[in-house]
Amino acid sequence: MIRVAADADVAAMAAVLGRAFDDDPVWRWILPGGPSRSRRLANLFGLAMRRVHMPLGASEATGRDTAVEAAALWDPPGHWHVSTGRQMRLLVPLLGVLGTRVPAALRALGAIEKHHPHEPHWYLSMLGTDPPAQGNGLGGALLRSRLDRCDAEGVPAYLESSKERNVPYYERFGFRVTRELTLPGRGGPPVWLMWREPGKDG
């Protein structure tokens, strides 16, 4: 069952996302260290959820039975931008998680943000399913939950895919690539910026 995420879900959702993004090309580039990556990512995503996404009341979780096995972090129209003041308040906690990779991470996020559309839209900041639960339709159910409301309200949606193999998956839900962007820095991987008009399932 899909539910709006509560504060009590943050730890479980962050752990799920940490494991889901452990093999992600962008996060492997930002955090090249191996065994501790999923734990560090969980700490990072937990920080982002508490400080950025959860106050907006739009993130969702689901799983089989009562477990949290998949999470979607959505930002409502007009709320995707993280202000400079909030970024500064996050700097010290980010240093604790990312260490010397903070500059690379901030450059990457800045490059992505520069191309973020300004037209009102729902922003899918992150979608992930725990690897053992993948293939059960949980991510698709989370997507459909919000996209059905986007269609009903006539509001577009936007995301950045950091895995090329996920591009066709999102295209099945009506997203279309608007730009392939290579992140700045040595070995910076590409991300695919994707936009969806309401009622435009693939």
Side-chain angles (χ1 to χ4, degrees):
M1 182 178 71
I2 295 170
R3 65 181 187 277
V4 175
D7 289 343
D9 296 313
V10 168
M13 291 172 67
V16 162
L17 292 171
R19 292 188 291 270
F21 281 85
D22 185 56
D23 67 344
D24 181 88
V26 170
W27 290 109
R28 290 177 73 90
W29 174 68
I30 291 175
L31 288 174
S36 67
R37 186 186 301 109
S38 65
R39 175 182 53 79
R40 294 172 73 186
L41 286 175
N43 291 338
L44 176 66
F45 298 151
L47 173 66
M49 289 176 67
R50 292 185 184 92
R51 300 286 188 91
V52 179
H53 303 290
M54 293 301 289
L56 302 174
S59 295
E60 295 182 327
T62 193
R64 297 162 297 181
D65 300 321
T66 59
V68 172
E69 294 180 306
L73 309 184
W74 286 96
D75 297 335
H79 292 276
W80 61 268
H81 178 69
V82 179
S83 69
T84 302
R86 183 176 291 182
Q87 289 181 36
M88 294 303 294
R89 290 192 292 274
L90 288 170
L91 189 56
V92 171
L94 283 176
L95 281 167
V97 177
L98 299 177
T100 59
R101 295 298 290 167
V102 165
L106 292 180
R107 281 195 301 271
L109 292 173
I112 292 171
E113 184 172 300
K114 190 183 343 183
H115 297 282
H116 198 116
H118 292 278
E119 178 183 342
H121 61 276
W122 278 91
Y123 173 46
L124 179 59
S125 174
M126 192 159 290
L127 173 71
T129 301
D130 212 349
Q134 290 175 4
N136 291 294
L138 299 176
L142 285 171
L143 272 174
R144 253 308 30 104
S145 173
R146 177 61 57 191
L147 295 179
D148 284 348
R149 283 173 276 182
C150 287
D151 291 344
E153 297 166 8
V155 181
Y158 174 74
L159 61 84
E160 300 109 3
S161 178
S162 48
K163 283 185 179 178
E164 186 173 15
R165 71 171 183 260
N166 286 346
V167 169
Y169 174 78
Y170 288 121
E171 287 177 337
R172 292 201 297 272
F173 290 88
F175 286 91
R176 294 291 176 263
V177 174
T178 59
R179 185 183 185 98
E180 181 180 333
L181 177 68
T182 299
L183 298 182
R186 178 183 294 180
V191 295
W192 289 265
L193 315 185
M194 304 189 73
W195 179 263
R196 179 188 186 272
E197 292 291 342
K200 294 291 185 182
D201 280 13

